[in-house]
Amino acid sequence: MSNDFYSGIYNPDVLSCLANLSNDEVFTPPEVANSMLDMLPQELFSNPNTKFLDPACKSGVFLREIAKRLLTGLEPILPDLQQRIDHIFHHQLYGIAITELTSLLSRRGVYCSKYPNSVYSVSRFDDAEGNIRYKRIPHRWKNGKCVFCGAAQSQYDRDEMLETHAYELIHTTKPEDIFKMKFDVIISNPPYQLSDGGGNGASAKPIYQLFVQQAQKMNPRYLSMIIPSRWFAGGKGLDEFRDRMLNDDRIRVIHDYPEASDCFSGVQIKGGVCYFLWNRDEHGDCSIYSHKGDAVQGPIIRPLLEAGCGTFIRYNEAVSVIHKVMAKNEPSMETLVSTRLPFGLPNTFKGNKVKNSPSDLLVYVSGNDREVRGSAAYVARNVISRGTEMIGWHKVYIAKAGSGSDSFPHPILPKPFYGAPDTVCNESYLVIGPFKDKQECENVMSYIATRFFRFLVLQKKNSQNAAKGVYQLVPQQDFSKPWTDAELYAKYDLSDEEIAFIESMIKPMDLTGGEE
């Protein structure tokens, strides 16, 4: 009877349609919501006292799918359907909508009426909100930024008729006071980012971690959220969050989708997405599932922080490869890679197209000539504010931004190119070196071109950015000779299965031709 109750009303499933929309506030497909609910102990849905909260309601899909399970699980206890419906909706399901529009959509999805005090609501409330609240919250501005979420005042200090996107959960110091009750389960797909005003309005600050942190303050028994996977590697606003998460042994399950479109059809999110289960009362290693297309690898039960390398190894199939590489205890390529702004020249610096003085240096910048890697210009030597010791090196340049599409197999890195002495670059590139001559640089580039090299980079690279730290797991080699994948596979005794996985993930790289 309980399944008939919802299936008769939702035909076709409008939530499945909405899940195909693409923006920073991605709608959750019902099948994904149910996969997240499957991670919970199912006896929760047979307990009339279990309380559930979605603190970032958009379509109401989590509350709706929870209601379906409760309608079945509570039938032996509350056999009368209407009594069961009233109990579930009034005493077990709660939500905080992120906008006024999504509050109406969520109520329509859960109560079958956008106004739960109307005659059309499956369970009548005394007010128009029911248990899915929406309250317009102001940002708290200081020096042009919101002190809670970091949003730019120039972008979100709006007229009262417009949404401010000041989400209630993350704009309070006491989230537990919103409903003034304890929740057994908090489950959600929160908004992912907000404009921080940088880059002429194009720069955005991640905010999903704030939802996780606020939910943990409420101390639920279980917490599950679906969020971008960029936190695996840290980065902009995420380093502290990453460290806290990877050192929290109450994270019991992670489902990782390196290609977001495998989870959210038609949606591209750099670095993919994941959902997790945090269990307040249980500690131990984590069950990790890796999703690729329709295939699932796992669970592999392992610590989030891999012993010896202090990082999270995203792909289960990569763990054995990492162990074999680390067993040789070789120095890391990271020590040969410069930090960003190697010569103090920002991205906006494009140099002079002509040489004005015999002492001018050749400078490689992006964007001047797409037919060659590292478009060339000139810069006066006295303009170089840092990295002067690298000017005379034989070196290798490589772009600090990734390359290629969002799907696998993927090139992971753009093509490197040789940097002769008396050359420099702007912020678009990193410097690898020093090396004794051009031939040694070419041998290094042959190593970078291997799938093996770029597969190890992938383990630390969960966004387009390829800064110095992504090279941590890559070992140095004898650069008196060039390298091939076959030699590296043999050196590290990789199995046929390990090789097949590497080659399924990484595109071949041809060092001839133009920039990728």
Side-chain angles (χ1 to χ4, degrees), residues 355-376:
K355 195 171 186 178
N356 295 318
S357 166
S359 63
D360 283 359
L361 302 171
L362 191 68
V363 57
Y364 292 106
V365 300
S366 61
N368 283 359
D369 183 353
R370 296 299 299 170
E371 293 183 358
V372 296
R373 282 174 275 146
S375 302

Side-chain angles (χ1 to χ4, degrees), residues 228-499:
S229 296
R230 294 179 190 177
W231 68 268
F232 292 162
K236 186 175 183 178
L238 295 171
D239 288 341
E240 182 181 343
F241 176 71
R242 172 191 181 274
D243 291 343
R244 185 185 302 115
M245 291 285 280
L246 294 184
N247 285 284
D248 190 341
D249 63 0
R250 294 168 294 179
I251 298 178
R252 311 299 292 122
V253 183
I254 289 179
H255 284 262
D256 180 36
Y257 294 79
E259 295 183 50
S261 59
D262 289 336
C263 183
F264 299 127
S265 179
V267 175
Q268 292 187 349
I269 298 172
K270 293 288 186 182
V273 297
C274 68
Y275 54 83
F276 66 88
L277 176 67
W278 178 87
N279 183 336
R280 182 191 65 196
D281 302 322
E282 189 174 290
H283 299 256
D285 290 341
C286 185
S287 296
I288 299 172
Y289 298 78
S290 298
H291 294 257
K292 185 179 182 184
D294 294 329
V296 183
Q297 208 282 336
I300 301 296
I301 300 174
R302 55 187 175 93
L304 290 178
L305 279 174
E306 195 64 32
C309 62
T311 192
F312 173 64
I313 304 303
R314 181 173 194 177
Y315 302 94
N316 287 330
E317 299 93 333
V319 174
S320 59
V321 176
I322 298 296
H323 288 171
K324 290 177 179 180
V325 170
M326 290 180 59
K328 292 190 177 293
N329 198 30
E330 296 166 311
S332 169
M333 284 295 296
E334 182 183 15
T335 63
L336 299 179
V337 180
S338 71
T339 58
R340 62 183 289 271
L341 279 166
F343 296 100
L345 304 175
N347 264 336
T348 53
F349 180 86
K350 299 302 181 184
N352 304 311
K353 290 190 175 182
V354 296
K355 195 171 186 178
N356 295 318
S357 166
S359 63
D360 283 359
L361 302 171
L362 191 68
V363 57
Y364 292 106
V365 300
S366 61
N368 283 359
D369 183 353
R370 296 299 299 170
E371 293 183 358
V372 296
R373 282 174 275 146
S375 302
Y378 295 94
V379 59
R381 186 179 290 263
N382 62 9
V383 172
I384 305 304
S385 62
R386 59 190 292 185
T388 53
E389 74 283 359
M390 297 188 290
I391 294 175
W393 289 1
H394 291 275
K395 48 195 171 279
V396 172
Y397 292 116
I398 191 165
K400 71 177 181 65
S403 173
S405 67
D406 291 316
S407 60
F408 292 100
H410 192 288
I412 308 302
L413 295 171
K415 294 178 183 179
F417 58 97
Y418 171 62
D422 293 330
T423 65
V424 294
C425 65
N426 75 356
E427 187 185 5
S428 297
Y429 302 96
L430 300 178
V431 174
I432 306 175
F435 303 107
K436 69 178 183 179
D437 53 27
K438 182 178 180 180
Q439 182 59 58
E440 193 167 73
C441 289
E442 290 177 346
N443 294 340
V444 171
M445 291 190 286
S446 74
Y447 183 39
I448 295 171
T450 64
R451 283 166 154 157
F452 174 85
F453 182 104
R454 289 174 289 129
F455 178 77
L456 295 177
V457 167
L458 174 62
Q459 307 315 309
K460 293 279 289 185
K461 181 178 178 292
N462 290 312
S463 68
Q464 189 175 11
N465 190 40
K468 176 183 175 74
V470 305
Y471 298 91
Q472 177 197 349
L473 299 178
V474 185
Q476 293 182 31
Q477 305 296 337
D478 173 7
F479 294 126
S480 67
K481 64 177 291 296
W483 287 90
T484 65
D485 273 312
E487 292 172 308
L488 292 162
Y489 294 157
K491 176 180 176 179
Y492 295 98
D493 194 26
L494 301 191
S495 68
D496 290 343
E497 292 77 12
E498 291 165 338
I499 293 170

Side-chain angles (χ1 to χ4, degrees), residues 71 90 132 135 241 333 382:
L71 283 165
H90 284 256
I132 301 175
K135 183 178 180 182
F241 176 71
M333 284 295 296
N382 62 9

Side-chain angles (χ1 to χ4, degrees), residues 179-232:
F179 281 103
K180 298 188 184 298
M181 67 175 66
K182 290 286 188 180
F183 290 97
D184 299 282
V185 177
I186 298 178
I187 186 167
S188 195
N189 176 12
Y192 296 159
Q193 61 186 27
L194 283 175
S195 172
D196 59 12
N200 294 319
S203 176
K205 176 184 176 65
I207 59 170
Y208 56 87
Q209 76 281 7
L210 304 179
F211 283 84
V212 176
Q213 292 165 355
Q214 290 290 84
Q216 288 175 326
K217 285 184 182 179
M218 299 174 75
N219 201 31
R221 290 170 60 195
Y222 301 97
L223 168 62
S224 181
M225 288 194 179
I226 184 165
I227 57 178
S229 296
R230 294 179 190 177
W231 68 268
F232 292 162

